[in-house]
């Protein structure tokens, strides 16, 4: 039995900073890579952000089940994976939603976000694209989404003018090139540049790997696989995937745990080109949303104004019918304009139904809506379209550099089409402004004339200073073309029915003459509405930006598929709770991937209560088995800096109240006696059974062990940059330890 002195001696290496209660049980926890901040997800799917001193900064609730979490490499944003396949990005300062993307159709089980900061180039500036975003030289800051009428700051659907959080994501010129990798439970892995621009997608079931069988190689594929963990290397050249499922080999299928290594070197080799394409494309997509929102707000405002106008003036038709007259409102108004005697229906409508106050109210509403639409066009819609055209012009120039950009899918023909559509949209905006200005002018002129008529019918003295001038010819044009028609609404309408605009033959001949000079090939744009033109432009953009996505997806290749250990009886859900950790460490001039996981207890009686650590050196696989001391159970594990492995162990359940119920242990992974594993073949594919005769038994008398007075549960949150670990106890407590003996006390001043 240990003495008190022996007990104290093995506790010394770890310093307990504090022991704090938590309101709810924690299921996911991740330290910020740059700041002393800990993000935690509760069982009821709330995200909590705490400082190192446990001060809570904010709490948010997405309203859906959270299944994964990771930080952006610079620590300024956090990615959240949800049960329905959505990935949301939140700002570290206040937790506000920056972007939400439906990247998957099922639950996002793991996320990994890496930049190219671990590359071999020593000059930090070389990591960032040398291409300068010249947009700011020629344009003011990009427009934001227009405010929705009736909303105030803080309400849903309205972004405060002082906030530009979402556009900050697209302003990637100051960021290192980075990739967000997301995996779902069906084996689909997506890749996004800066977390917002999709650049690749693979299905692990599509890869086949050749295994030697006698004198030939046979192709083996994964079936019904479920991903447990993914990790990109620090140089973005490799992706390691841990998954469970069936490996299809001749004559039988192998059920078990597998390690897949993918070649993602295209991200590193073409990071400058991809940086430039993603920067322009993501900004174009943001501006496209500004145009979409502008058209939506404009359509609603004008429709509301026209609804009020027609709701009031349609009552005149009823009055005409009630008085037994066989005429239309337009004919009655023309008769009044011509000086004829006012009919009883018109008199009743103007004096009783409408009246001067009602007329002024409708005039203010319609003319005010027209002015609001002009403001939205000038401050939001047109600037967004102009910047889109400029950015597409930049991409058009890059697409001509075929030796560099064709390999990343920047297609010159598709970019040319998208550029032309952006230019035609600007032409449509100019036409819309002319139609809007003419319509508002004619409405105003009509209302001015009605105002004079109301004054005359009510026998009020005509004060020339109160009645604005009007043009009789414009009143006639209004009654003929605008009273029961709406050209503004027609241009803004977005319907599936194709409402072509009639264009006279002379105008079409002039368009054809202009097309002969070059610059555009679309001769039918005048027949389309503004809303339809926007839809066509957006479709061309999607087609152009889909090409890099498709091209890069095809260049992500399978390097190796390693069957690790067989499992016949465990369901898929059992593997989601298996503690796993993947990390890359720089050794000499390359990165070495370390993979660690706990074997399921049901996997093999011979290897029960064991932890596997593998590494790949010069394409040669090495592994070691660590046996946890009797009576202890590995709850979670995490690969730490300098090739260290942190283990969280629960102790025997029969200990007394005053005894340690759990412990935390650090193992120096690169000092372990790794054993080389020969290449797999189809007849004997399993790797780890070859290590059962060389198991390393962990000892509790190690100086790198710390006793914990509580029973613990997953997760174990370890910060490699800060040298701290957060442990969660069964009884809703959080314990934070400093792992390094020489680590200075962490400042919470950030």
């Amino acid at each position: 039995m240990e003495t008190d002195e022996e007990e104290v001696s093995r506790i010394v290496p770890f310093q307990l900073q504090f022991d704090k209660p938590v309101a709810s049980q924690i299921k996911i926890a991740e330290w910020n890579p740059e700041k002393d901040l800990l993000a935690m997800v509760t069982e009821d799917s709330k995200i909590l952000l705490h400082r190192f001193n446990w001060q809570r900064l904010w709490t948010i609730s997405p309203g859906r089940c959270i299944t994964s979490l990771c930080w952006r490499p610079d620590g300024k944003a956090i990615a959240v994976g949800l049960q329905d396949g959505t990935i949301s990005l939140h700002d570290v300062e206040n937790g506000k939603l920056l972007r939400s993307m439906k990247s998957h159709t099922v639950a996002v089980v793991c996320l990994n976000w890496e930049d190219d900061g671990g590359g071999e180039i020593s000059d930090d500036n070389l990591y960032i694209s040398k291409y300068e975003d010249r947009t700011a030289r020629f344009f003011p800051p990009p427009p934001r989404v227009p405010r929705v009428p009736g909303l105030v700051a803080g309400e849903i659907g309205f972004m405060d003018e002082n906030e530009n959080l979402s556009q900050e994501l697209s302003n990637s010129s100051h960021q290192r090139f980075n990739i967000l990798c997301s995996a779902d439970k069906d084996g689909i892995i997506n890749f996004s540049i800066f977390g917002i621009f999709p650049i690749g997608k693979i299905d692990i079931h599509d890869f086949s790997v050749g295994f030697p069988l006698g004198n030939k190689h046979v192709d083996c594929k994964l079936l019904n696989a479920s991903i447990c963990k993914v990790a990109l290397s620090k140089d973005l050249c490799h992706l390691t995937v841990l998954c469970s499922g069936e490996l299809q080999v001749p004559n039988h299928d192998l059920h078990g745990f597998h390690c897949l290594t993918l070649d993602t070197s295209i991200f590193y080799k073409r990071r400058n080109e991809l940086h430039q394409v993603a920067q322009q494309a993501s900004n174009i997509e943001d501006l496209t949303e500004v145009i979409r929102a502008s058209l939506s707000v404009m359509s609603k405002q004008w429709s509301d104004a026209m609804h009020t106008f027609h709701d009031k003036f349609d009552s005149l038709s009823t009055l005409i019918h009630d008085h037994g007259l066989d005429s239309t409102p337009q004919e009655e108004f023309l008769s009044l304009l011509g000086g004829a005697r006012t009919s009883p229906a018109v008199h009743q409508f103007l004096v009783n139904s409408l009246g001067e106050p009602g007329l002024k109210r409708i005039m203010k509403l319609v003319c005010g809506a027209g002015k609001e639409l002009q403001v939205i066009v000038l401050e939001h819609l047109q600037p967004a379209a102009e910047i889109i055209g400029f950015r597409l012009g930049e991409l058009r120039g890059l697409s001509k550099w075929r030796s560099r950009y064709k390999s990343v899918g920047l297609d010159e023909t598709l970019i040319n089409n998208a550029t032309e559509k952006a230019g035609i949209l600007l032409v449509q905006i100019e036409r819309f402004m002319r139609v809007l200005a003419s319509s508002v002018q004619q409405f105003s002129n009509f209302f001015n004339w009605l105002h004079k008529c109301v004054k005359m019918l009510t026998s009020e003295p005509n004060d020339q200073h109160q009645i604005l001038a009007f043009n009789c010819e414009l009143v006639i044009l209004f009654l003929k073309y605008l009273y029961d028609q709406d050209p503004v609404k027609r241009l803004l309408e977005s319907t599936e029915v194709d409402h072509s605009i009639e264009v006279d033959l002379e105008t079409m001949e002039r368009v054809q003459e202009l097309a002969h000079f070059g610059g555009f090939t679309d001769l039918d744009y005048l027949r389309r509405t503004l809303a339809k033109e926007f839809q066509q432009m957006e479709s061309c953009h999607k087609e152009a930006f889909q090409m890099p996505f498709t091209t890069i997806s095809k260049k992500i290749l399978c390097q190796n598929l390693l069957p690790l250990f067989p499992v016949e009886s465990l369901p898929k859900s059992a593997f989601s709770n298996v503690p796993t950790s993947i990390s890359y460490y720089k050794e000499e001039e390359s990165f070495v991937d370390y993979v660690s996981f706990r074997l399921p207890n049901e996997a093999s009686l011979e290897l029960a209560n064991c932890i596997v650590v593998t590494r790949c050196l010069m394409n040669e696989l090495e592994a070691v088995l660590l046996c946890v001391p009797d009576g202890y159970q590995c709850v979670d594990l995490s690969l730490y800096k300098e090739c260290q492995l942190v283990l969280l162990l629960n102790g025997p359940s029969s200990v007394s109240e005053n005894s340690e119920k759990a412990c935390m242990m650090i193992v120096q992974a690169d000092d372990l006696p790794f054993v080389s594993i020969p290449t797999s073949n189809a007849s004997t594919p399993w790797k780890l059974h070859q290590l059962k005769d060389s198991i390393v038994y962990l000892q509790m008398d190690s100086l790198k062990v710390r006793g914990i007075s509580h029973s613990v549960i997953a997760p174990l949150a370890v910060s490699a940059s800060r040298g701290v670990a957060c442990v969660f106890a069964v009884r809703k407590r959080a314990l934070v330890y400093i792992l390094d003996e020489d680590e200075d006390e962490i400042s919470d001043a950030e």
Side-chain angles (χ1 to χ4, degrees):
M1 185 160 179
E2 292 181 333
T3 64
D4 291 342
E5 290 77 7
E6 290 173 335
E7 180 70 15
V8 171
S9 66
R10 70 182 179 86
I11 294 178
V12 169
F14 298 89
Q15 180 183 351
L16 176 63
Q17 288 297 291
F18 51 77
D19 180 348
K20 298 285 187 179
V22 289
S24 180
Q25 203 62 64
I26 304 299
K27 65 177 183 179
I28 305 173
E30 294 287 344
W31 286 98
N32 187 299
E34 294 295 329
K35 301 179 181 180
D36 297 327
L37 302 173
L38 178 65
M40 297 171 286
V41 179
T42 63
E43 288 290 347
D44 55 352
S45 287
K46 292 180 180 178
I47 305 176
L48 318 175
L49 186 70
H50 283 242
R51 291 184 184 273
F52 178 75
N53 62 4
W54 217 247
Q55 175 193 1
R56 183 179 299 184
L57 297 181
W58 47 257
T59 301
I60 59 174
S61 179
R64 289 163 286 177
C65 180
I66 299 173
T67 52
S68 52
L69 187 83
C70 80
W71 288 95
R72 197 168 78 179
D74 62 5
K76 295 181 179 180
I78 189 168
V80 180
L82 303 176
Q83 182 75 35
D84 64 356
T86 301
I87 298 175
S88 59
L89 306 181
H90 298 264
D91 183 48
V92 66
E93 297 296 332
N94 47 31
K96 288 192 175 181
L97 181 66
L98 302 176
R99 190 72 61 93
S100 181
M101 303 158 290
K102 193 71 164 63
S103 303
H104 298 266
T105 57
V106 293
V108 182
V109 294
C110 51
L111 295 165
N112 180 244
W113 208 336
E114 289 289 346
D115 61 22
D116 67 345
E120 297 178 11
I121 303 174
S122 58
D123 185 0
D124 287 345
N125 293 327
L126 294 180
Y127 288 120
I128 303 175
S129 169
K130 295 179 181 178
Y131 173 76
E132 178 191 0
D133 185 0
R134 304 186 302 167
T135 311
R137 290 188 186 183
F138 306 101
F139 295 92
R144 301 182 178 92
V145 171
R147 79 170 59 204
V148 179
L151 289 183
V152 296
E155 292 188 27
I156 297 174
F158 170 70
M159 178 177 288
D160 190 272
E161 291 185 358
N162 295 324
E163 296 174 2
N164 202 10
L165 303 176
S166 181
Q167 291 182 350
E168 182 67 20
L169 283 172
S170 302
N171 184 18
S172 55
S173 58
H174 64 280
Q175 292 186 43
R176 291 178 183 268
F177 179 73
N178 60 70
I179 298 285
L180 173 62
C181 176
S182 60
D184 65 35
K185 67 177 185 179
D186 285 349
I188 304 296
I189 302 176
N190 285 337
F191 303 88
S192 301
I193 300 177
F194 308 120
I196 58 174
F197 182 66
I199 196 59
K201 174 182 178 180
I202 58 103
D203 186 341
I204 62 174
H205 301 97
D206 294 339
F207 294 116
S208 61
V209 178
F211 281 89
L213 179 61
N215 297 326
K216 62 179 182 178
H217 275 70
V218 294
D219 288 335
C220 302
K221 296 182 70 173
L222 287 168
L223 299 174
N224 301 318
S226 180
I227 296 176
C228 303
K229 196 85 170 181
V230 296
L232 275 167
S233 62
K234 302 297 182 183
D235 57 5
L236 308 181
C237 287
H238 301 94
L239 178 74
T240 300
V241 183
L242 285 178
C243 62
S244 62
E246 304 171 13
L247 184 63
Q248 188 180 36
V249 297
N251 303 324
H252 65 288
D253 293 338
L254 303 173
H255 299 260
F257 209 50
H258 314 280
C259 182
L260 194 67
T261 304
L262 304 180
D263 179 4
T264 57
S265 57
I266 184 68
F267 294 139
Y268 182 77
K269 294 175 182 178
R270 294 296 181 184
R271 64 193 185 281
N272 281 341
E273 291 85 351
L274 291 172
H275 188 134
Q276 295 163 27
V277 172
Q279 179 172 325
Q280 297 290 1
S282 57
N283 276 279
I284 288 171
E285 289 176 350
D286 282 348
L287 293 167
T288 300
E289 290 303 315
V290 172
I291 294 178
R292 187 196 318 282
S294 298
L295 291 175
S296 176
V297 172
M298 290 163 60
S299 179
K300 184 179 186 308
Q301 282 192 269
W302 187 255
S303 295
D304 289 346
M306 289 298 98
H307 176 76
T308 303
F309 171 79
H310 289 295
D311 187 53
K312 197 68 177 177
F313 276 76
D314 285 351
S315 63
L316 177 57
S317 299
T318 305
L319 291 174
I320 293 173
H321 181 269
D322 292 344
H323 283 81
L325 300 176
D326 186 18
S327 59
T328 64
Q330 293 96 313
E331 292 172 344
E332 292 293 331
F333 281 133
L334 285 173
S335 177
L336 179 62
L337 181 65
R341 181 175 176 273
T342 307
S343 69
V346 173
H347 187 282
Q348 183 179 348
F349 172 74
L350 293 179
V351 175
N352 301 329
S353 299
L354 184 62
E356 186 177 359
L359 175 63
K360 288 184 176 180
R361 185 166 54 251
I362 294 177
M363 179 170 60
K364 181 179 180 181
L365 182 64
V366 173
C367 296
K371 291 179 181 178
E372 282 293 325
L373 263 61
Q374 291 174 333
V375 170
I376 292 175
V377 171
L378 294 176
E379 296 185 0
H380 301 273
L381 180 60
Q382 186 169 333
E386 290 173 348
I387 298 176
I388 285 177
F390 179 83
R391 289 191 176 278
L392 282 169
E394 297 284 86
L395 285 176
R396 186 180 184 184
L398 295 177
S399 69
K400 295 181 182 298
W401 196 350
R402 298 182 185 89
S403 61
R404 287 187 62 181
Y405 288 90
K406 191 174 182 179
S407 62
V408 297
L410 196 62
D411 186 89
E412 184 177 357
T413 302
L414 296 178
I415 294 297
N416 285 343
N417 291 339
T419 306
E420 178 178 322
K421 290 297 181 184
I424 291 177
L425 181 67
L426 281 170
V427 175
Q428 294 278 20
I429 292 172
E430 290 290 338
R431 178 172 70 168
F432 174 80
M433 285 292 282
R434 290 198 299 270
V435 171
L436 176 63
S438 175
S439 297
V440 171
Q441 180 188 10
Q442 292 189 52
F443 265 107
S444 178
N445 184 78
F446 175 68
F447 290 138
N448 290 340
W449 170 69
L450 280 185
H451 189 202
K452 179 181 179 180
C453 294
V454 171
K455 287 280 190 181
M456 292 175 57
L457 293 175
T458 55
S459 301
E460 293 184 11
N462 288 335
D463 188 347
Q464 298 299 326
H465 296 288
Q466 293 182 0
I467 299 177
L468 299 177
F470 61 89
N471 186 306
C472 293
E473 293 181 0
L474 288 181
V475 173
I476 296 173
L477 290 175
F478 175 86
L479 293 172
K480 185 176 181 180
Y481 296 109
L482 287 181
Y483 185 84
D484 56 358
Q485 299 180 48
D486 192 347
V488 175
K489 179 183 177 182
R490 187 178 185 185
L491 290 175
L492 292 174
E493 250 181 350
S494 178
T495 61
E496 295 183 0
V497 180
D498 188 13
H499 295 295
S500 296
I501 298 175
E502 293 184 6
V503 183
D504 61 86
L505 182 60
E506 182 182 353
T507 302
M508 290 303 301
E509 289 176 351
R510 292 178 61 188
V511 170
Q512 291 175 3
E513 291 175 1
L514 289 173
H516 285 305
F517 289 100
F520 69 99
T521 58
D522 186 355
L523 303 180
D524 294 325
Y525 67 92
L526 288 178
R527 292 192 172 101
R528 293 191 293 269
T529 66
L530 175 61
K532 191 68 176 179
E533 197 66 61
F534 169 68
Q535 291 176 354
Q536 289 206 3
M537 184 195 75
E538 186 179 25
S539 177
C540 284
H541 289 177
K542 288 181 178 179
E543 186 180 6
F545 298 148
Q546 182 68 24
M547 187 59 70
F549 179 89
T550 304
T551 302
I552 298 300
S553 297
K554 293 177 180 178
K555 295 189 176 186
I556 299 173
L557 307 174
C558 181
Q559 277 188 325
N560 206 351
L561 175 58
L562 305 172
L564 296 176
F565 66 85
V567 178
E568 297 291 340
S569 59
L570 285 181
K572 277 188 178 182
S573 58
F575 290 96
S576 62
N577 298 321
V578 172
T580 58
S581 183
I582 306 174
S583 189
Y584 288 81
Y585 300 106
K586 191 168 185 179
E587 296 186 4
E588 296 180 354
E589 297 299 323
S590 62
F591 286 92
V592 178
D593 59 317
Y594 278 73
V595 178
S596 180
F597 57 91
R598 189 200 73 199
L599 288 176
N601 293 333
E602 300 85 349
S604 170
L605 292 176
E606 298 175 332
L607 304 178
N609 211 23
C610 281
I611 295 168
V612 180
V613 183
T614 69
R615 69 180 180 185
C616 187
L617 290 169
M618 304 299 291
N619 295 323
E620 180 180 349
L621 180 69
E622 297 181 341
V624 64
L625 288 178
L626 307 179
C627 184
V628 176
D630 290 340
Y632 285 85
Q633 179 68 31
C634 179
V635 174
D636 204 354
L637 52 84
S638 178
L639 285 161
Y640 182 49
K641 62 182 180 181
E642 298 174 357
C643 300
Q644 296 180 91
L645 176 64
V646 182
L647 304 177
L648 183 63
L649 310 176
N650 259 337
S653 57
S654 59
V655 297
S656 63
E657 286 294 325
N658 297 326
S659 302
E660 298 171 355
K661 297 181 180 179
C663 70
M664 188 162 47
M665 175 186 296
I666 294 184
V667 178
Q668 191 65 39
D670 55 355
D671 289 343
L672 295 172
F674 284 90
V675 177
S676 179
I677 302 294
T679 305
S680 296
N681 58 70
S683 57
T684 58
W686 299 114
K687 300 282 190 182
L688 301 182
H689 280 274
Q690 304 173 41
L691 304 176
K692 61 184 179 181
D693 295 329
S694 55
I695 296 177
V696 176
Y697 293 90
L698 299 177
Q699 303 297 323
M700 295 303 296
D701 57 359
S702 166
L703 291 178
K704 286 291 187 178
V705 177
R706 167 70 192 236
I708 302 174
S709 59
H710 305 277
S711 294
V712 294
I713 56 174
L716 167 65
V718 177
S719 171
S721 62
R722 299 299 179 180
V724 296
C726 184
V727 175
F728 297 96
V730 173
R731 297 182 178 178
K732 296 183 181 179
R733 301 200 67 81
L735 298 87
V736 176
Y737 295 88
I738 290 182
L739 297 180
D740 299 330
E741 295 178 66
D742 57 348
E743 189 80 31
D744 294 333
E745 185 174 349
I746 295 180
S747 171
D748 59 356
E750 296 186 33

